Amino acid sequence: MLCGMHEHDGPLTRLRRGHEQSVLELLRKQGPLSRAELGIRSGLSRTTLHDIVAALVGSGAVVASTPQVETRKRGRPVEKLSLNPAAGEAVGIDFARRAVHVAAVNFAHEVVGSASESHAPDLSWPERVELAERLLDALATGPPDADADEAGGQGRSRGVHLDPLTAIGVGVVGPIADPGSEHAHAQGIDGLPDLLRKRFGVPVLLDNNTRLAALAEAVWGAAADSSDVLYLRLSHGVGGGLVVGGALHRGRYGLSGELGHITVDPMGRTCECGGTGCLETRAALDAVLCRYRESGGRAEDLGGFLAAVDAAEPTALAVLERVGGDVGAVLAAVCHVVGAGVIVVGGELAEAGRALLDPVERTLRKHLMPMAHHHVDLRRATLGEAGSALGGIALVLHESPLLTQYPQPVSEEHA
């Protein structure tokens, strides 16, 4: 009799529930997968996986679709399984030094919207949060179309629905204490998570925005085919991020990825961190422009400098040759420590393209051990200014336990 009373929660039921959660977690973290890929990653037998998938598809939690391909191949197209995109979106916000970037991705890993807006560097945190809310509202109420975007619009969307929002991943500049959790905080912006929670009514996960850009490039961007990624951002500051085995590495104190504060010239300039001759004093945007003008260059801003690079101006190219040498030497040293397979270089300075990446690669190859040459691939970032906001979303989808109780999609007749 007692056995019958607990039959609904017996060991077989709990085992099946565990299998379902395993499949849902894989789809949440990895995005669309074929049945074969699910079988390999989950370790479930073919029969068990078939039953689990059938139940999840029947309940509406999982949907099956055949991806479109540009060229027709022989054989039947491979069907992909994903979490139901109608179940909700995850939102990411990047509070950069001088701009706010937002993005939204549904549970099927489809990017459904992104937007950005610059602001004065002294804008208050309540005003920045208000700006982020306005950008997200704009995504939800009617995005610019492709023509508008080409005409100078700052966002794109296919219709973001914020009602089922479950969490927000947020990137900020600088070191983070207890990163990736609901208790994360950063010096000088301790009130930010509370501001966001009050404004959106959902949990907020906070991390360094450069680390989040690294995670985004590993999930959606230049390194989506690799699980071990070293990322370097060359912007107003210089920072990095490390993805190991598909997971973001933070270090014990949340200081992982501070590549900009590796010394490249012990007799160099003083860095804002208190050190001397850090990479940031040589490769940050202001440092590059200063070196360019000291060498006789006339450009006053990054746009002018990049135009000089495009015109193959010798002074601009010589500056990038030296910057690339500093960067390549640092990347080689880090590669020897962490064994990264893919290096991704992003940030505004990466817009210089091969004029920067070629000297980086030459120095990288020069300093790498010969046995590592064929195992390290240098690439340019592909996600642009939305990268850190997308990384906030990856933080939610990959590492947060918030989505383990997967919400059922709202049926159209009750919407």
Side-chain angles (χ1 to χ4, degrees), residues 320-406:
L320 288 183
E321 185 73 30
R322 293 196 293 272
V323 172
D326 292 335
V327 169
V330 167
L331 291 176
V334 176
C335 278
H336 288 153
V337 175
V338 302
V342 174
I343 300 174
V344 178
V345 178
E348 292 92 327
L349 193 60
E351 295 176 18
R354 298 313 313 179
L356 172 66
L357 294 184
D358 284 348
V360 170
E361 183 143 29
R362 283 195 296 271
T363 307
L364 174 68
R365 303 299 174 191
K366 176 181 177 181
H367 289 280
L368 279 176
M369 292 187 297
M371 64 184 298
H373 282 188
H374 300 296
H375 299 288
V376 178
D377 189 4
L378 179 69
R379 305 174 186 177
R380 180 178 168 185
T382 61
L383 297 178
E385 61 185 12
S388 294
L390 288 169
I393 296 171
L395 182 66
V396 173
L397 295 178
H398 272 227
E399 302 185 26
S400 169
L402 299 169
L403 305 181
T404 54
Q405 298 301 320
Y406 185 75

Side-chain angles (χ1 to χ4, degrees), residues 270-291:
T270 301
C271 180
E272 64 178 15
C273 74
T276 302
C278 296
L279 180 62
E280 187 163 297
T281 68
R282 308 285 286 266
L285 295 183
D286 287 344
V288 172
L289 290 175
C290 180
R291 182 184 291 186

Side-chain angles (χ1 to χ4, degrees), residues 97 100 117-129 131:
R97 294 176 188 268
V100 174
E117 187 171 319
S118 299
H119 61 70
D122 59 350
L123 192 68
S124 70
W125 282 107
E127 290 174 308
R128 296 186 194 198
V129 171
L131 173 56

